[in-house]
Amino acid sequence: MSFCSFLGGEVFKDHFQPGIYVCAKCGHELFSSRAKYEHSSPWPAFTETLREDSVAKREERPGALKVTCGKCGHGLGHEFLNDGPKRGQSRF
């Protein structure tokens, strides 16, 4: 499964089959379906990355980190701190 930018019809938002989500550009493993949850945003939402090196992060503004592929640097969106389904969890 490739995780890609929202282009007006994100195909993986409501996709909950077991598997691994990978970078659309290089195939690097990013997220497990076990970390995916339903959210009101138009993008798929995850609570955590598959591995520590799955993504790279840099602060964009307080409470939001810019997230890129840990291997090729392809833009993946944001990590919103303390905006996950449980208290203290992030939302990717």
Side-chain angles (χ1 to χ4, degrees):
M1 293 173 243
S2 294
F3 183 76
C4 59
S5 302
F6 178 69
L7 299 173
E10 175 54 59
V11 297
F12 292 112
K13 179 190 181 333
D14 297 318
H15 184 273
F16 287 93
Q17 297 291 328
I20 303 296
Y21 291 80
V22 301
C23 175
K25 187 172 181 181
C26 74
H28 187 61
E29 294 183 339
L30 303 170
F31 303 99
S32 168
S33 59
R34 291 181 300 234
K36 191 172 187 302
Y37 68 99
E38 289 189 49
H39 189 268
S40 62
S41 75
W43 300 274
F46 302 88
T47 56
E48 61 188 6
T49 60
L50 188 62
R51 293 185 305 271
E52 191 172 320
D53 69 344
S54 292
V55 302
K57 308 173 195 179
R58 68 173 170 77
E59 186 172 15
E60 186 170 81
R61 62 182 185 272
L65 306 175
K66 186 72 174 168
V67 178
T68 58
C69 173
K71 183 175 180 181
C72 73
H74 182 66
L76 301 173
H78 294 85
E79 175 182 1
F80 297 100
L81 306 176
N82 299 310
D83 191 40
K86 295 180 184 173
R87 186 181 181 121
Q89 281 186 323
S90 289
R91 172 174 57 93
F92 288 87

